[in-house]
Amino acid sequence: MTDCLVNMYSDTVTKPTPAMLQAMVTAEVGDDMNAQDPTVNRLEAMVTELLGKEAAVYACSGTQSNQMGVRCHTGPGDELLIEERGHIANFEGGAPAQLGGVSCRTIRGENGLLDLHHLEGRVRAHNQHLCETKLLCVENTTNAGGGRFWPLEQMHRVCDWAHAAGLKTHLDGARLFNAAVASGHSVKDICSGIDTVSICFSKGLGCPLGSILVGDAESIFKARRVRKLMGGAMRQAGVVAATAVYALENHVERLADDHANARAFASAVAEVDGVTIDLDAVQTNLVFFEIDPKIGDACQLSAALKARGILIGAMGPHVLRACTHLDVDRDGVLQAVQGIRDCIAAGIGQFPESKFGPFARA
Ligand SMILES: *Cc1c(COP(=O)(O)O)cnc(C)c1O
């Protein structure tokens, strides 16, 4: 294979910038398991303040902080409600069931979003035959739902509904800052109806790893116990938390560049013969597009692109997802579109057909 020229698999692929590495080198550190790492404490205080909540706890990954959130609000035998494409239900190794004894009741919404007409009637009655519905999980921006952000009123409406129904609310905000920058609403307003919020630093914010769970003091106290149980309580984690402090100060507003690059990619790929795309659906840094089955399948195109040094993953039999981030610029995204055009023109029939489900990578 050629060297990788453009990596649009995910926004997780970014490498720490020199300034970020410098922040790591100079970070003040301590024992975070005992809440004595000044850099982690500073990060937790910053995010608590930004979101207008009471407390926060640093975590290793978004999967971990999501599961900490799930476990704050549920116990074995309980049920959570989630849109059927949600990350918590699909891409976390079955963790609600495996780690928490919790079942996911998945609900078909629109573009990964739920509204009252999807949710009404989904809270189970108190009855010995039934599990107890305890939690509503939402995702903003939606990943498999197409990178959409929630209209603010809709987010508030479903949270009010959940609370009135006696449920807690958890937001998988892996890309919360993308939602804030694209919608123009503050993270505080977006999260005002949410009990616990998980945010990834390793996506658009460009950190090598790390996530955080934010919420009320009691939930975060519980979450610390769960973090310990899951093997995620770290010691001198400040060396990594320093990248998150740096990213919050320097990498939030620039997400608008990623969104503009995603739009440029989308408009250019729309012009390629055999490609279908809903341009109105492109709101943030994720671009989903479909190829005509006559050309081949999504895994074949992904493999053909890979051979040209362009990485874009398959997300369905004929659907691919391209993602913009800190390490891909305007030239890069346009080069990727040229690659798609060239691959389709050359034919992709020699590449193996898809043997895997969604999220298969060439
Ligand atoms: C990336 C992501 C996560 C976290 O996944 P990790 O594999 O733990 O990094 C959670 N939710 C969504 C929507 C994501 O895209």
Side-chain angles (χ1 to χ4, degrees), residues 283-315:
Q283 296 185 340
T284 59
N285 69 328
L286 305 178
V287 183
F288 288 71
F289 59 98
E290 202 165 342
I291 55 165
D292 186 335
K294 282 189 228 123
I295 296 168
D297 71 29
C299 283
Q300 289 178 306
L301 179 55
S302 182
L305 286 166
K306 189 175 180 184
R308 291 171 190 258
I310 294 162
L311 305 183
I312 294 178
M315 277 289 276

Side-chain angles (χ1 to χ4, degrees), residues 12 61-64 66 87-88 91-92 139 141-143 172 174-175 198 200 202-203 211 321:
T12 56
S61 69
T63 295
Q64 188 174 69
N66 271 335
H87 197 276
I88 289 172
F91 302 118
E92 301 191 1
E139 196 171 298
T141 63
T142 68
N143 179 347
D172 178 350
R175 297 186 178 82
S198 159
C200 286
S202 57
K203 301 274 166 81
S211 279
R321 187 193 76 172

Side-chain angles (χ1 to χ4, degrees), residues 100-333:
V102 175
S103 50
C104 294
R105 186 169 190 186
T106 57
I107 301 169
R108 178 99 192 155
E110 275 151 49
N111 307 310
L113 275 52
L114 294 167
D115 212 335
L116 299 192
H117 63 281
H118 305 112
L119 288 164
E120 270 158 1
R122 304 293 187 137
V123 178
R124 296 181 194 270
H126 292 294
N127 177 312
Q128 63 172 344
H129 298 286
L130 307 173
C131 55
E132 289 190 61
T133 314
K134 289 280 180 65
L135 176 66
L136 170 67
C137 293
V138 292
E139 196 171 298
N140 195 8
T141 63
T142 68
N143 179 347
R148 307 291 184 101
F149 61 80
W150 285 64
L152 192 63
E153 309 68 42
Q154 187 173 344
M155 178 64 87
H156 291 167
R157 186 158 66 235
V158 302
C159 289
D160 288 347
W161 171 86
H163 289 142
L167 311 186
K168 295 287 188 179
T169 53
H170 172 78
L171 168 62
D172 178 350
R175 297 186 178 82
L176 174 64
F177 286 98
N178 294 85
V181 166
S183 68
H185 296 298
S186 69
V187 289
K188 193 183 261 176
D189 286 345
I190 295 172
C191 297
S192 65
I194 300 284
D195 296 306
T196 51
V197 183
S198 159
I199 301 169
C200 286
F201 297 113
S202 57
K203 301 274 166 81
L205 295 179
C207 299
L209 64 129
S211 279
I212 199 161
L213 186 76
V214 201
D216 62 281
E218 196 189 327
S219 295
I220 298 307
F221 180 79
K222 281 193 209 164
R224 283 186 186 275
R225 296 184 75 101
V226 181
R227 180 180 71 157
K228 174 73 187 170
L229 175 74
M230 290 177 176
M234 298 171 281
R235 301 298 183 176
Q236 284 72 38
V239 286
V240 195
T243 66
V245 171
Y246 179 86
L248 288 175
E249 286 171 346
N250 296 280
H251 287 175
V252 173
E253 279 159 30
R254 66 150 305 285
L255 291 170
D257 300 344
D258 295 346
H259 301 168
N261 284 336
R263 285 218 68 81
F265 175 91
S267 326
V269 88
E271 302 295 318
V272 177
D273 274 346
V275 170
T276 314
I277 179 169
D278 175 3
L279 286 176
D280 291 337
V282 182
Q283 296 185 340
T284 59
N285 69 328
L286 305 178
V287 183
F288 288 71
F289 59 98
E290 202 165 342
I291 55 165
D292 186 335
K294 282 189 228 123
I295 296 168
D297 71 29
C299 283
Q300 289 178 306
L301 179 55
S302 182
L305 286 166
K306 189 175 180 184
R308 291 171 190 258
I310 294 162
L311 305 183
I312 294 178
M315 277 289 276
H318 299 99
V319 176
L320 293 98
R321 187 193 76 172
C323 187
T324 57
H325 50 74
L326 194 58
D327 288 352
V328 58
D329 59 12
R330 185 61 60 96
D331 286 349
V333 303

Side-chain angles (χ1 to χ4, degrees), residues 332-346:
V333 303
L334 297 178
Q335 203 179 335
V337 174
Q338 188 56 42
I340 294 168
R341 188 177 287 110
D342 293 346
C343 286
I344 291 178

